[in-house]
């Protein structure tokens, strides 16, 4: 009996090692693909940013020269400024709209399932198709669907995508229409965890829907809101095809994003090393935002 007792920890340890080995074998293909498609290109991009290139071939080590050349790019500062504007505008529009949608559907007494499906439906549409739809919708003059509708009520044509002051706002509206539904469902799942007795007690006390929204709903979804805030910043910071397809970065670079500038440097101006340098800058910013995201979620879990 004593000999069996001495061998049981060893058998348990061997079994654990075997399970770990099986897990690593199962994960190995995914890890190899992840390294090949993510880490290898990332390291090659960092390396390329310190070299002069001919095509995609590294020629000479130039140190920080590519980063210095970015500073004299006409659209460099504009692109960074526009990206910040996209982020701020998306937080004002894209963060509030899903919360309002989630609250309204939660308060709905009938057809709640229909409203949930209708809210999520834009997410089913491919992103490129959604951008094309809004490009026609906000078209200038008689070619724009919205301007045609405004003409029916006697309102003159509005330059939605050619006005430098408002073009970013309308692009953010298109982005919000596409993504607000899925975000609203996340908030609805948080709201569903609220005890109905709280709403019933507030209703008995005479609280109106707006009062119930600010006193019960908002405090409950605040933790979820922190996470969605950081995720939205990370997503909007990488905006590319919306301004590229809707305005081509115009008018006068008023809507060009930092990722669109990377694309233009790499595939239009064929300045691969400068595009690599700008990509590294974006990567550093995203890493910083990701660290903030993990810090926020960690503090939320402790609370």
């Amino acid at each position: 009996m004593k000999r069996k007792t001495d061998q049981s920890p060893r058998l348990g340890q061997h079994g654990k090692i075997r399970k770990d080995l099986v897990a690593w074998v199962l994960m190995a293909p995914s890890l190899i693909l992840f390294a090949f498609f993510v880490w290898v290109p990332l390291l090659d991009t960092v390396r390329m940013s310190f070299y002069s290139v001919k095509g995609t071939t590294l020629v000479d080590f130039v140190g920080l020269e590519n980063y210095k050349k970015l500073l004299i790019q006409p659209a460099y500062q504009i692109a960074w400024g526009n990206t910040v504007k996209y982020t701020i505008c998306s937080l004002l529009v894209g963060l509030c709209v899903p919360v309002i949608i989630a609250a309204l559907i939660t308060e709905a007494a009938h057809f709640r399932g229909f409203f949930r499906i209708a809210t999520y439906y834009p997410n089913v549409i491919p992103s490129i198709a959604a951008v094309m739809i809004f490009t026609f919708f906000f078209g200038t003059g008689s070619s724009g669907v919205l301007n045609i509708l405004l003409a029916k009520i006697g309102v003159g044509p509005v330059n939605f995508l050619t006005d430098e002051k408002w073009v970013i706002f309308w692009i953010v509206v298109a982005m919000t229409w596409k993504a607000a539904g899925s975000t609203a469902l996340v908030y609805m799942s948080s709201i569903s965890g609220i005890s109905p007795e709280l709403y019933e007690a507030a209703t008995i006390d005479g609280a109106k829907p707006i009062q119930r929204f600010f006193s019960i709903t908002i405090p409950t979804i605040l933790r979820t809101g922190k996470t969605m805030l950081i995720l939205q910043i990370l997503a909007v910071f990488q905006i590319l095809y919306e301004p590229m397809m809707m305005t081509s970065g115009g008018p006068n670079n008023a809507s060009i994003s930092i990722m669109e500038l990377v694309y233009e440097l790499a595939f239009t101006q064929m300045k691969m090393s400068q595009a690599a340098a700008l990509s590294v800058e974006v990567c550093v910013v995203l890493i910083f935002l990701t660290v903030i995201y993990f810090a926020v979620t960690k503090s939320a879990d402790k609370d």
Side-chain angles (χ1 to χ4, degrees), residues 18-33:
R18 187 179 302 171
K19 288 182 180 180
D20 292 341
L21 182 61
V22 172
W24 279 108
V25 170
L26 292 174
M27 289 190 299
S30 299
L31 293 175
I32 294 173
L33 290 175

Side-chain angles (χ1 to χ4, degrees), residues 192-219:
S192 64
I194 302 175
S195 175
E197 297 178 356
L198 293 176
Y199 287 106
E200 293 175 1
T203 303
I204 293 174
D205 292 338
K208 297 180 180 180
I210 296 179
Q211 293 174 327
R212 295 197 296 269
F213 175 74
F214 284 103
S215 61
I216 299 176
T217 305
I218 290 295

Side-chain angles (χ1 to χ4, degrees), residues 41-50 67 70 80 262 273-287:
L42 178 60
L43 295 176
D44 285 343
T45 301
V46 174
R47 185 185 178 192
M48 183 183 292
S49 68
F50 296 107
Y67 293 90
L70 286 175
W80 277 111
V262 171
S273 55
Q274 293 185 36
L278 186 54
S279 299
V280 172
E281 291 183 1
V282 174
C283 184
V284 170
V285 173
L286 292 179
I287 291 174

